[in-house]
Amino acid sequence: PLSQPTIQERYLLRPYPQYNGVESFRKPDAMSMYNGFTLRVEKRFSHGFDLLASFTGSKTMDNSSAAVSYLGPVSETYVNQYNPGLEWAISSQDVSRAFVGAFVYELPFGKGRTFANSAGRGVNLLISGWEVNGIITLQDGTPLLMSGAQDQTGLFTLGQTPDNSGSAKLSNPTINEWFNTSVFSQPPPFTFGNTSRSLPNVRNPGIRNADLSLFKNDYFGKENRYNLQFRLEAFKALNNPQWGGPNTNIQAGSAFGTITSDTGPRNVQLGLKFLW
């Protein structure tokens, strides 16, 4: 472009007009701010029961979340390279509330336990050694990042955000319409688009999951040195749908705003384990 008889004025207005482009790779110049509160409750193992639960409420804000997808959801580079502050928004990695609880409970039945302590050998073999375990996860989703706007700024920017004419939040979102798609549109030429880098009030589906297991421990040998353990383990035990994120590309037509994936059905496995 710089060798033509007529050169577009935008090329001449660049900081280094003698070059067709000057770039820096993954420059570490973004800013972030995290505020959080964590509550942890722990009951150490006693009487066959152990519990560990934690809750975190937090807010993360930044003006660029990640440059590569394996570090988390990638948000747009600066639309206006001369004003990174315009990109200040909820981080694409923000999880505002997260609860995780884990427990182990050895059922109090059989010899040496609270109930049926004097049961016969055959009955004791059936009712003793049972153990229930679980991991419960409840977590908000990450903010949505809108995409698909065609870059018509004329400023060599690497992205342009859509225009937003109203609230995208729906009172009853469904997988067929996760947010109000009608408020987003292609911005006019030579404008940046007014949608924030991430939506502050619309998020990807969160996590509602329970992984549960039932063990049967059969101890034998001198001083119960050996254990033949039967395991029944169920991942996604309650079979709650764990939806993927909605389509956020404004050029996607009827697919825009819809969810078409989840993490799959319940997974159950059986195992036999020998410990010594």
Side-chain angles (χ1 to χ4, degrees), residues 202-235:
V202 184
R203 292 177 175 259
N204 289 300
I207 298 175
R208 304 289 185 271
N209 186 58
D211 296 328
L212 305 175
S213 63
L214 178 66
F215 293 179
K216 176 69 166 71
N217 298 294
D218 294 301
Y219 297 97
F220 61 96
K222 186 178 180 179
E223 298 180 348
N224 289 332
R225 179 180 177 182
Y226 306 107
N227 178 17
L228 185 63
Q229 183 184 77
F230 168 75
R231 305 163 69 100
L232 170 64
E233 298 169 308
F235 302 96

Side-chain angles (χ1 to χ4, degrees), residues 49-90:
F49 183 67
D50 172 72
L51 173 68
L52 176 62
S54 64
F55 171 81
T56 299
S58 64
K59 185 176 184 179
T60 306
M61 299 192 70
D62 55 34
N63 60 353
S64 182
S65 298
V68 286
S69 59
Y70 58 80
L71 294 178
V74 177
S75 54
E76 292 283 359
T77 185
Y78 304 147
V79 173
N80 183 349
Q81 299 290 333
Y82 294 98
N83 193 350
L86 290 178
E87 307 300 325
W88 189 255
I90 297 291

Side-chain angles (χ1 to χ4, degrees), residues 143-162:
L144 295 186
L145 308 177
M146 307 309 296
S147 64
Q150 298 178 8
D151 185 8
Q152 302 179 80
T153 60
L155 297 176
F156 304 102
T157 183
L158 297 180
Q160 184 180 31
T161 61

Side-chain angles (χ1 to χ4, degrees), residues 56-131:
T56 299
S58 64
K59 185 176 184 179
T60 306
M61 299 192 70
D62 55 34
N63 60 353
S64 182
S65 298
V68 286
S69 59
Y70 58 80
L71 294 178
V74 177
S75 54
E76 292 283 359
T77 185
Y78 304 147
V79 173
N80 183 349
Q81 299 290 333
Y82 294 98
N83 193 350
L86 290 178
E87 307 300 325
W88 189 255
I90 297 291
S91 172
S92 64
Q93 303 172 16
D94 178 72
V95 175
S96 60
R97 293 173 297 179
F99 169 84
V100 178
F103 66 90
V104 174
Y105 183 38
E106 295 180 347
L107 301 184
F109 301 105
K111 186 177 180 179
R113 301 291 182 175
T114 305
F115 303 104
N117 183 37
S118 58
R121 183 174 181 180
V123 174
N124 183 72
L125 183 62
L126 292 175
I127 66 174
S128 66
W130 290 99
E131 176 185 327

